[in-house]
Amino acid sequence: MLTARPYRADDREACLALFDSNTPLFFDASEREGFADYLEEIAFEHAYQVIERDGRVVACGGHAVEADTVSVVLCWGMVDNGLHGQGVGRALTEARIAAARATPGITRVILNTSQHTQGFYARFGFETMKVTPDGYAPGIDRWDMVLKLD
């Protein structure tokens, strides 16, 4: 059974292990320090959450309201690489979209991801706005996507 809960400081190492499990295909190793800083300094402000299965952190991700006050951006979402394709990412994404829908005034969800996961997000209705080749690192393109909420 999957259980979502807010991120706690003692989840830091588990979240970094999730990052590591997704390197180098989904994240470049050079991004790890930025993610670690995010967990230390910003995660609590961005409604960051973890998903546990059998008491173990198997996914993490957050969202934040943008300065335009009508957009929510999805932040640092990831699933244990060994659990891809088992519905964990879907549960995490659905929870973050539901939180965006519940936020007054929000009309769209934005994210940036790689060519490896853009198809996953497209299944939720996200549309590609821009593609930047090697936007994260050599071989990892950046895809900027948006989901318009009704």
Side-chain angles (χ1 to χ4, degrees):
M1 181 161 118
L2 299 175
T3 306
R5 64 166 174 77
Y7 172 82
R8 300 184 308 240
D10 63 348
D11 294 321
R12 183 176 188 276
E13 292 307 314
C15 290
L16 288 172
L18 294 175
F19 179 93
D20 293 341
S21 81
N22 285 288
T23 303
L25 182 60
F26 298 101
F27 296 107
D28 187 74
S30 66
E31 297 176 276
R32 191 178 198 274
E33 184 177 341
F35 180 53
D37 290 346
Y38 173 87
L39 292 174
E40 264 322 292
E41 301 168 13
I42 304 169
F44 297 105
E45 299 168 23
H46 285 186
Y48 207 67
Q49 58 185 314
V50 299
I51 293 185
E52 291 181 324
R53 184 162 80 179
D54 300 324
R56 183 176 143 252
V57 174
V58 296
C60 57
H63 66 279
V65 176
E66 291 283 87
D68 68 8
T69 70
V70 297
S71 303
V72 160
V73 62
L74 300 187
C75 312
W76 289 109
M78 62 195 78
V79 172
D80 182 302
N81 191 43
L83 299 177
H84 289 184
Q86 296 183 29
V88 179
R90 171 170 289 284
L92 177 63
T93 302
E94 288 173 347
R96 296 193 293 169
I97 292 171
R101 287 185 189 282
T103 305
I106 297 302
T107 61
R108 66 190 198 140
V109 179
I110 57 176
L111 64 84
N112 58 76
T113 193
S114 74
Q115 73 270 26
H116 304 294
T117 52
Q118 60 81 23
F120 170 81
Y121 289 107
R123 289 193 297 269
F124 288 91
F126 282 88
E127 297 177 0
T128 302
M129 303 305 293
K130 180 180 176 184
V131 177
T132 306
D134 298 329
Y136 292 116
I140 305 178
D141 302 337
R142 176 180 167 143
W143 288 59
D144 291 281
M145 303 180 80
V146 64
L147 171 66
K148 295 176 184 167
L149 302 177
D150 298 328

